Amino acid sequence: MSSFEYPQDLKYLDTHEYVRLDGEIATIGITEFAVDQLGDVVFLELPDIGDLITKGDKFGSIESVKAVEDLNTPITGTVIERNEALIESPEAVADDPYGEGWLLKLRVNDPDEANDALTADEYRAEVEGE
């Protein structure tokens, strides 16, 4: 199996999204594992700025040559920024999924909601079957 990166400062969903919290700002993206499983990404659908998305809900979709997958949020918040560069060039998510490949930035009311998500070690164990 490939060796994937699992940054310790992130929280993860078992559906392969991650959240990075910086105060009341949450950055949402998909994991390196998800990018690998999807293959070549060809389309990305994201909510509009100002939209409220609720923890556990679908907020968009990502389409590759292999599949179309829903995107789920690990935290409730209002969209304050979306990655317009990825909408134009969705394949770029594979270049740096934890950096320039982020999908959304949310302003959250309750950062503690992310505590229900998986830690890096728990997520690694799940995807690597340990």
Side-chain angles (χ1 to χ4, degrees):
M1 170 170 269
S2 301
S3 178
F4 297 109
E5 186 181 349
Y6 305 95
Q8 293 291 320
D9 64 329
L10 305 180
K11 298 290 270 186
Y12 301 86
L13 291 181
D14 59 5
T15 50
H16 312 297
E17 293 85 358
Y18 69 79
V19 59
R20 174 181 287 123
L21 283 168
D22 182 14
E24 64 180 16
I25 305 302
T27 302
I28 310 288
I30 62 170
T31 66
E32 186 178 14
F33 175 82
V35 169
D36 180 71
Q37 295 298 301
L38 282 166
D40 295 330
V41 175
V42 296
F43 184 75
L44 185 61
E45 179 187 9
L46 296 175
D48 293 324
I49 292 171
D51 286 357
L52 175 67
I53 59 174
T54 303
K55 177 181 175 181
D57 284 355
K58 171 189 166 187
F59 68 81
S61 62
I62 188 164
E63 182 176 346
S64 73
V65 294
K66 293 180 181 176
V68 178
E69 297 290 336
D70 290 340
L71 296 166
N72 302 290
T73 180
I75 196 162
T76 299
T78 301
V79 178
I80 59 170
E81 196 174 346
R82 63 184 198 167
N83 194 335
E84 299 293 339
L86 279 190
I87 292 172
E88 296 296 319
S89 302
E91 70 282 358
V93 70
D95 297 339
D96 186 14
Y98 300 118
E100 294 301 312
W102 59 273
L103 302 177
L104 294 178
K105 293 191 182 205
L106 307 178
R107 182 173 309 282
V108 300
N109 293 330
D110 183 8
D112 289 342
E113 276 188 346
N115 290 339
D116 296 339
L118 302 171
T119 65
D121 292 338
E122 290 168 337
Y123 179 71
R124 176 188 303 125
E126 183 161 317
V127 299
E128 294 183 1
E130 294 176 356

